[in-house]
Amino acid sequence: MSTAAPVATEHHRRSTVSQLFVDTGYCLADFPLSVASFVVLLTLFCAGMGTFVAVGGAFVLLAGMHVARAFAGLERRRLPSVLRAPVTAPRYRKDHTKHTGLRRQLVPLVDPQCWRDLLFGITRFVTGVTGFVVTITWWAVAVGYTLSFLWAYPVLPYLNGISDLLGMPHKYGYVVAVDTGIGLLFLISAPFVVRGMALMNAGLASGLLTRHRVDALQERVEELTESREAARSAEASALRRLERDIHDGPQQRLVRLTMDLSLAQRRLRTDPEHAEPLLAEAIQQTRETLDELRALSRGIAPPILADRGLAAALAAVTGRCTVPTELSVSLPDHERLPESAENTAYFLVAEALTNVAKHSGATWCEVKVTGDGSLLYVTISDNGRGGAHTAKGHGLSGLADRVRAADGRFHVDSPAGGPTVLTAELPCAS
């Protein structure tokens, strides 16, 4: 993110000559790319639409969407050199694990940006071929006619050039003078003509493949809406889990403690000697209940996180994990992160380690936390059996919602048989 300004500055400082060669390369390379995308995408589109009533037609069209997206991604990487400014990729629609199976795979068919990618891949044929023809013709005339003094004399007897059309004598000097003048005229105008062809092609790509201000605002609204829903889901899940933990743990122990104390009270009146074991057991129940309440309080708002920061809190939570865990924390020195980022990172690591201990069967785990001032990167990996995913109803869905609620990104890589790697990017700029 911080490299956008230097990139733009570098593009603006490029000289006219170097920009001419960049634009020339862009126009020449656009020809094979436009032909390839036109042939492939038009074929897939026609085949998919022609057989759409059948199930197979939808998958052919879906394949065309993925191919169009690949061509669009390649074009976005080529655009900054021509536009002399960084470009912003649009936001593709995601299902966010609300559905699985076939319905999730067909999401690109209802994504407007995928259709724009397909439209660009087909229509770029016109601008690509036009830009290629004009560019190659302009360079051929500019170079060929400027260097006419090298080749004009041997072919002079067979040459009927522009000097002849102007009624000039058919002599070497006249022919070279006229042809060289024409070549210099084309050579001088080449930067403007080639630049125009490059901007024509890049304009079509920019209009269909990049994010503009209105689109960016709309996408930001959608992102904030998703973050709000994720925050609600994460909060509801946390409250349900806390209620369940209190019901299954301290509440049961307090009920038993009440029964033991009532029984001990009755025994004290009739049989004081047998009441002592009951009181000792009640004291033990009290201690265990306090331990569980302390554990639950750490899950709500761990004091060590507020007092000593994220590194110390993570050291404490990894030290309590039953699976051997290596911790690596690299954060800016003497700088506290925003509270929301620290809380999210702490709960992410704590819940992930709980899942590792309960479900993964792992014998080793590693936690890495790094920060660059604007983003906080959290990675939790283990050598367990794998197969973890963020589908609704599974343990990691709550983590994904919590990270999205913090306006971050969450990714799970957990093939069957392991290993499992959880990565999260959390914004931490003040």
Side-chain angles (χ1 to χ4, degrees), residues 148 152-153 156 163 168-180:
S148 61
Y153 186 79
L156 188 61
S163 59
M168 302 178 68
H170 191 70
K171 295 183 179 181
Y172 175 78
Y174 293 100
V175 172
V176 169
V178 173
D179 290 351
T180 301

Side-chain angles (χ1 to χ4, degrees), residues 44-266:
L44 291 174
F45 175 74
C46 293
M49 295 301 294
T51 59
F52 195 80
V53 292
V55 178
F59 286 101
V60 173
L61 192 58
L62 184 64
M65 295 292 184
H66 287 291
V67 175
R69 183 169 178 176
F71 276 111
L74 176 61
E75 187 63 24
R76 291 189 195 99
R77 288 193 288 271
R78 301 172 64 228
L79 280 178
S81 62
V82 177
L83 297 179
R84 294 188 290 191
V87 298
T88 305
R91 183 170 174 268
Y92 289 89
R93 180 174 296 181
K94 297 180 180 179
D95 195 36
H96 295 301
T97 70
K98 293 180 181 179
H99 307 100
T100 58
L102 179 61
R103 187 170 182 178
R104 186 179 182 186
Q105 299 300 322
L106 295 179
V107 168
L109 294 181
V110 294
D111 187 354
Q113 184 56 47
C114 289
W115 285 99
R116 284 194 286 267
D117 293 346
L118 183 64
L119 177 63
F120 168 75
I122 295 176
T123 57
R124 70 182 297 186
F125 177 78
V126 177
T127 58
V129 172
T130 302
F132 174 81
V133 171
V134 172
T135 300
I136 200 71
T137 301
W138 218 266
W139 272 109
V141 174
V143 176
Y145 273 57
T146 302
L147 301 178
S148 61
F149 65 91
L150 296 176
W151 54 264
Y153 186 79
V155 299
L156 188 61
Y158 317 101
L159 179 64
N160 290 318
I162 297 179
S163 59
D164 296 320
L165 297 177
L166 296 176
M168 302 178 68
H170 191 70
K171 295 183 179 181
Y172 175 78
Y174 293 100
V175 172
V176 169
V178 173
D179 290 351
T180 301
I182 295 174
L184 291 175
L185 179 63
F186 272 72
L187 191 61
I188 294 172
S189 61
F192 307 100
V193 175
V194 176
R195 180 69 179 160
M197 294 297 101
L199 290 178
M200 177 185 66
N201 296 342
L204 176 64
S206 177
L208 293 175
L209 304 182
T210 61
R211 185 169 58 179
H212 302 281
R213 182 173 179 83
V214 176
D215 296 333
L217 292 176
Q218 178 63 31
E219 291 173 5
R220 184 56 180 165
V221 170
E222 294 177 0
E223 289 176 356
L224 293 176
T225 302
E226 293 172 359
S227 297
R228 183 187 62 185
E229 295 300 325
R232 290 178 178 176
S233 178
E235 181 181 3
S237 299
L239 290 176
R240 287 194 301 268
R241 183 171 61 253
L242 179 61
E243 181 183 5
R244 183 182 65 249
D245 292 341
I246 292 176
H247 179 272
D248 295 341
Q251 182 175 334
Q252 297 297 327
R253 292 186 181 278
L254 289 174
V255 170
R256 182 179 175 182
L257 177 61
T258 302
M259 296 174 61
D260 289 345
L261 289 176
S262 298
L263 181 58
Q265 185 181 27
R266 290 194 298 269

Side-chain angles (χ1 to χ4, degrees), residues 96-97 233-234 237 241 347-356 359-360 380 382 386-404 410-414 420-423:
H96 295 301
T97 70
S233 178
S237 299
R241 183 171 61 253
F347 288 120
L348 174 64
V349 173
E351 290 295 326
L353 292 182
T354 300
N355 289 335
V356 170
H359 309 297
S360 70
I380 304 105
D382 66 74
H389 52 85
T390 58
K392 294 297 182 181
H394 293 263
L396 296 184
S397 62
L399 296 182
D401 288 340
R402 186 181 290 273
V403 172
R404 285 206 304 272
F410 184 73
H411 178 70
V412 178
D413 183 12
S414 182
T420 297
V421 180
L422 312 181
T423 57

